[in-house]
Amino acid sequence: MTEQAQRRTPAPPPGTYLGMPTFQKNAKVQLADPQLRSNLRHATGTIRAKRAERVAEVPEWEQLRLAGEAIKNRTLRHLDTYLVQLEESLTKAGATVHWARDAAEANAIVVGLVQAKGVDEVVKVKSMATQEIELNEALEHAGIAAWETDLAELIVQLGHDRPSHILVPAIHRNRAEVREIFLREMKQYGTPAPEDITDSPAELAGAARRHLREKFLRAKVAVSGANFAIAETGTLVVVESEGNGRMCLTLPETLISVVGIEKVLPTVEDLEVFMRLLPRSSTGERMNPYTSVWTGVTPGDGPQEVHVVLVDNGRTNALADPQGRPALRCIRCSACLNICPVYERVGGHAYGSVYPGPIGAVLNPQLRGISSKIDQSLPYASSLCGACFDVCPVRIPIPDMLVHLRHEVAEHKRGHVGVQQTAMAVAGWVLSDHKHFELAERAAGLAARALPNTTHLGPLPWPASPWTRARDLPMPPAESFRTWWRKERGEAR
Amino acid sequence: MAHRFGVGPRVALFATCINDVMFPGTPKAVVQVLERLGCTVEFPVEQTCCGQMLTNTGYFDAAVPNVRNYVKAFRGYDYIVGASGSCIGAVRHQHPMLAEHAGDPGLAEAVADVVARTYDFSELLVDVLEVTDVGAYFPHKVTYHPTCHSVRVTKVGDRPYRLLEKVKGLELMPLEAADQCCGFGGTFSVKNPDVSVAMGSDKARHVVDTGAEYLVTGDNACLMHIGGLLHRQNSAVRTIHLAEILASTEGGAA
């Protein structure tokens, strides 16, 4: 039997995130897919307009953003205190707290907890932390099936695919593609989709509902993440739209929540700021349909065994870097993805991580370091247009952080001799002194005089090809401004 | 107008490296407009570049000499003006960071001093000279692309629109998705050429759709990118810097 046949759940595409080529190479592949570009343009355009409309309704939006930033900064400044307080509160409320330094430890803890219950399947609430640690594959290797119950995550899982967006992981798929996936795959993993299903959203949602229902009712263990964890009370919060989260959080006997350590908030009162910032930034809604709030174990109601796995996985590295720290304020709303002109054109798969888009470009190199090609290329995956900062509900200065990370990459590559290093060394010399600059100007002027009838240069060979493949390059004029000024106004000033 | 003709302030011109070499018509236009408004314009020759290309590619050490040059060239002036939202933004936003990176408190102090007196051309006109009608005449249909750094870093706001509105004969055509980046992005344009061109092609399409004869911005680098695409497509739309429109008069072309 092949490995594919032995699996309990659909296999993801081959390869690993860290083994992916650079953003530039991935982007080229994605750009060549007209269906993807059309799906993304439509989806990001729609959600962007919805967000703008809902944000415009709140006159104190900028104050809310400042409050969100301030609360997160204070929490991160005293993270050690709040985390210990969270552990105490959770324990008092009947939950069991586990600490995980990295993905491997977190996965081992969850696998162990599920095995201890003697079951071979779990239902899952959509969770970025479990995507980040690749929990589903760790469970699969232990013979445990992890079923995604969020509609878009289900589409991704059944499509043998990877998520391409934080909030809408199947944003790269359209209805026709979803119909094909449901028809082909559902019958292999449970209740099949009706043979005569069309691509109407209601029918597709109905098929997912029936497919998931038996899994909800059968499951003994659920795995979730958390949007917020309140230190003062030990309360966890999950914000969602479909009600699948509520099913997972209330029906099974055992609930395991995997939570990044930056999700902690000091008090319940702090939620009022984030419950206003998150839905409007994320889905462009005034409020989200389902907010589940639970504090440990409530006897006779809901899961009677509650575990919380607190995961570091690179977060303390980011915390240690004053320039990188703001990324930990992120509440995973994905407003920066939706507004980003680069994301809109290449989609999430080019970023080599479950965190794509502008936030991914700053978060991944911090969580994973900059030793891989993909992580070295991510800080450059931006035109630095700044639109991401404008929409970020917690004011993460993504453009400044990208520049800071580019500096780290350049330092990491110090000593390498490449085109970029050479070009920057030459540019550095030319621009360091006006006498050097004037020499370069004279060279440009000579080139212009050598080609007196040329106004633009067309396609040129490497190294000019990246510019000139699609864009003409204007010729410099024979006389620079400086030369003109000297001629007209004399040497002195 | 706050300043009468001939007794306007003394202004130091920051030409910017790209305008100096590639688009000298733009700094010449700044000189023309400012002198028309009674200013005395000086050009400190020690200047080179804001260093943004080096900074944004991660080469902070190589960018520090640019900060020192800028301070050396422009110290002592009450008003320093450049016709680029991006370069002025880099001076204001990145020079303090680079001075800190250099670990030089003296430089940081000098930077804070010079940065506070550095203006984008549109800001100098509207805020310092308190003028929106500069006596320009440009009888053409134009569309304006608000470049990202002019809006989000330098924060020129609606000043360019207010200046364009007062140009005689000019018809301003609204640009769809004006707030979206054109995809130039400095070294992004050659490090990620495919994405850059995809973004630029959409911008160029929106520009052509306006029916304008000219695309105007306050940044020649963005114009070089969008204009390069338009030229390759044999489009009739020409590119022009805001300063060159403002320098045009009924008596003669800019």
Side-chain angles (χ1 to χ4, degrees):
Chain A
M1 246 200 310
T2 61
E3 203 210 339
Q4 173 72 39
Q6 288 167 347
R7 288 183 60 99
R8 302 282 318 277
T9 59
T16 61
Y17 279 124
L18 276 177
M20 281 175 78
T22 61
F23 175 83
Q24 288 86 333
K25 286 187 183 151
N26 299 333
K28 205 177 162 72
V29 176
Q30 305 292 329
L31 279 168
D33 181 346
Q35 180 70 63
L36 173 79
R37 283 180 71 178
S38 145
N39 293 355
L40 281 168
R41 192 184 309 123
H42 176 73
T44 56
T46 307
I47 200 163
R48 203 184 280 170
K50 272 180 75 184
R51 178 208 162 269
E53 195 183 324
R54 290 292 164 245
V55 164
E57 296 174 343
V58 185
E60 70 276 24
W61 184 254
E62 289 309 312
Q63 285 96 316
L64 275 174
R65 288 176 79 210
L66 286 165
E69 176 187 13
I71 293 168
K72 282 283 184 180
N73 279 351
R74 173 163 55 95
T75 312
L76 291 166
R77 205 156 51 231
H78 305 290
L79 190 60
D80 50 350
T81 310
Y82 289 123
L83 282 173
V84 171
Q85 190 188 4
L86 175 68
E87 181 183 35
E88 285 168 4
S89 307
L90 278 166
T91 309
K92 211 154 73 184
T96 309
V97 176
H98 311 261
W99 297 89
R101 263 175 294 232
D102 53 25
E105 281 192 9
N107 286 331
I109 291 165
V110 178
V111 167
L113 290 171
V114 178
Q115 282 170 336
K117 300 311 293 177
V119 298
D120 64 355
E121 66 172 357
V122 301
V123 284
K124 280 190 70 203
V125 187
K126 177 170 167 33
S127 138
M128 291 312 298
T130 60
Q131 290 279 12
E132 175 191 325
I133 63 173
E134 299 183 54
L135 175 65
N136 290 7
E137 282 308 284
L139 289 168
E140 176 71 46
H141 285 147
I144 300 158
W147 304 114
E148 294 291 349
T149 66
D150 170 84
L151 178 56
E153 290 287 3
L154 178 70
I155 295 166
V156 168
Q157 186 176 37
L158 288 175
H160 299 267
D161 205 352
R162 291 190 209 280
S164 71
H165 190 280
I166 289 174
L167 176 78
V168 221
I171 195 169
H172 56 291
R173 298 290 194 193
N174 64 16
R175 293 187 300 180
E177 292 172 287
V178 173
R179 176 183 167 272
E180 278 171 38
I181 291 168
F182 280 9
L183 260 180
R184 190 179 66 231
E185 302 287 340
M186 274 184 174
K187 56 179 176 252
Q188 301 186 47
Y189 301 99
T191 309
E195 283 301 323
D196 59 349
I197 190 170
T198 72
D199 67 357
S200 93
E203 282 189 46
L204 294 172
R209 193 166 186 269
R210 279 187 298 277
H211 181 79
L212 291 170
R213 185 58 50 126
E214 61 167 346
K215 291 185 163 60
F216 285 132
L217 296 177
R218 203 169 62 205
K220 303 279 181 229
V221 178
V223 176
S224 83
N227 291 93
F228 308 102
I230 310 298
E232 188 185 39
T233 56
T235 303
L236 265 54
V237 182
V238 161
V239 175
E240 48 129 358
S241 297
E242 297 168 15
N244 64 301
R246 180 68 55 81
M247 302 278 269
C248 293
L249 297 168
T250 51
L251 289 176
E253 293 157 11
T254 301
L255 173 60
I256 306 166
S257 302
V258 180
V259 183
I261 54 172
E262 85 285 16
K263 294 285 159 206
V264 65
L265 287 177
T267 68
V268 176
E269 282 71 29
D270 295 318
L271 273 179
E272 71 178 338
V273 170
F274 294 97
M275 290 309 295
R276 296 188 72 195
L277 287 172
L278 182 54
R280 286 178 199 261
S281 300
S282 188
T283 48
E285 293 169 304
R286 294 191 180 104
M287 66 181 287
N288 53 292
Y290 293 86
T291 301
S292 298
V293 179
W294 73 101
T295 305
V297 175
T298 305
D301 184 14
Q304 296 300 295
E305 191 175 329
V306 171
H307 296 272
V308 178
V309 184
L310 294 169
V311 185
D312 182 337
N313 204 32
R315 284 158 178 77
T316 47
N317 295 340
L319 188 63
D321 177 359
Q323 303 290 329
R325 204 172 288 162
L328 297 179
R329 298 204 292 260
C330 178
I331 54 174
R332 312 283 188 258
C333 73
S334 57
C336 63
L337 278 64
N338 300 329
I339 201 80
C340 179
V342 174
Y343 177 89
E344 179 189 330
R345 285 167 184 85
V346 303
H349 288 154
Y351 293 81
S353 163
V354 297
Y355 301 116
I359 188 62
V362 295
L363 197 57
N364 297 310
Q366 294 198 80
L367 296 182
R368 309 192 297 207
I370 50 166
S371 52
S372 72
K373 284 213 177 334
I374 182 74
D375 287 322
Q376 286 172 10
S377 71
L378 286 179
Y380 296 93
S382 164
S383 65
L384 301 179
C385 82
C388 47
F389 172 75
D390 286 358
V391 297
C392 177
V394 287
R395 296 169 48 87
I396 301 171
I398 294 176
D400 290 345
M401 295 177 69
L402 287 167
V403 170
H404 164 72
L405 285 163
R406 289 175 184 190
H407 174 60
E408 281 191 11
V409 173
E411 289 294 308
H412 180 80
K413 289 185 171 174
R414 210 181 251 268
H416 290 223
V417 181
V419 184
Q420 180 177 301
Q421 285 81 1
T422 311
M424 290 299 136
V426 172
W429 182 83
V430 167
L431 299 173
S432 67
D433 189 286
H434 73 98
K435 293 191 188 78
H436 302 176
F437 185 71
E438 283 159 28
L439 272 178
E441 271 194 348
R442 275 202 282 280
L446 284 176
R449 274 189 282 272
L451 299 165
N453 299 317
T454 310
T455 61
H456 284 79
L457 297 171
L460 293 172
W462 187 87
S465 51
W467 179 276
T468 59
R469 206 157 34 223
R471 290 165 286 208
D472 287 339
L473 187 65
M475 279 294 286
E479 186 183 72
S480 71
F481 174 78
R482 204 174 285 251
T483 311
W484 173 83
W485 179 272
R486 281 216 170 97
K487 215 169 63 191
E488 293 283 317
R489 312 286 170 113
E491 189 64 37
R493 305 225 139 167
Chain B
M1 252 201 297
H3 303 277
R4 279 186 301 117
F5 187 81
V7 290
R10 188 174 69 123
V11 177
L13 173 64
F14 174 39
T16 78
C17 69
I18 179 173
N19 286 341
D20 192 348
V21 183
M22 298 292 290
F23 306 99
T26 298
K28 279 185 211 170
V30 172
V31 173
Q32 229 174 314
V33 173
L34 291 180
E35 290 185 345
R36 204 161 73 206
L37 296 171
C39 299
T40 305
V41 183
E42 297 187 5
F43 177 74
V45 293
E46 295 91 346
Q47 64 180 282
T48 56
C49 165
C50 66
Q52 184 177 192
M53 178 181 69
L54 296 160
T55 314
N56 283 353
T57 315
Y59 293 77
F60 290 5
D61 292 344
V64 171
N66 290 283
V67 181
R68 295 192 192 280
N69 278 339
Y70 190 86
V71 166
K72 200 166 116 192
F74 293 108
R75 259 197 128 158
Y77 284 100
D78 288 338
Y79 302 104
I80 303 145
V81 69
S84 163
S86 191
C87 305
I88 298 303
V91 169
R92 281 194 196 152
H93 189 65
Q94 295 185 327
H95 282 199
M97 180 276 284
L98 289 166
E100 198 189 317
H101 170 79
D104 183 342
L107 181 63
E109 205 178 306
V111 162
D113 180 49
V114 176
V115 159
R117 288 181 277 108
T118 296
Y119 298 85
D120 178 64
F121 185 46
S122 63
E123 294 175 317
L124 188 85
L125 291 175
V126 176
D127 302 350
V128 178
L129 302 178
E130 294 175 14
V131 57
T132 47
D133 185 349
V134 298
Y137 174 69
F138 196 74
H140 298 283
K141 286 182 179 173
V142 308
T143 192
Y144 176 75
H145 166 53
T147 60
C148 302
H149 287 189
S150 75
V151 174
R152 301 199 182 95
V153 184
T154 301
K155 298 187 165 54
V156 299
D158 64 354
R159 293 176 185 86
Y161 291 102
R162 288 165 65 191
L163 290 161
L164 284 170
E165 272 165 20
K166 292 288 167 64
V167 175
K168 263 175 72 184
L170 183 143
E171 192 184 346
L172 189 63
M173 318 296 286
L175 177 66
E176 199 188 315
D179 60 350
Q180 258 219 9
C181 178
C182 73
F184 170 66
T187 46
F188 175 79
S189 63
V190 286
K191 281 185 77 73
N192 279 289
D194 303 292
V195 189
S196 172
V197 165
M199 290 162 70
S201 300
D202 288 344
K203 181 62 72 183
R205 182 166 45 82
H206 292 314
V207 168
V208 170
D209 288 348
T210 63
E213 301 159 70
Y214 286 90
L215 165 67
V216 56
T217 76
D219 274 290
N220 277 325
C222 307
L223 282 182
M224 185 169 77
H225 166 69
I226 312 167
L229 285 158
L230 289 167
H231 194 265
R232 177 66 57 87
Q233 296 161 9
N234 293 316
S235 165
V237 182
R238 280 166 287 175
T239 54
I240 188 167
H241 192 285
L242 174 66
E244 293 177 45
I245 288 184
L246 298 180
S248 302
T249 54
E250 220 150 345

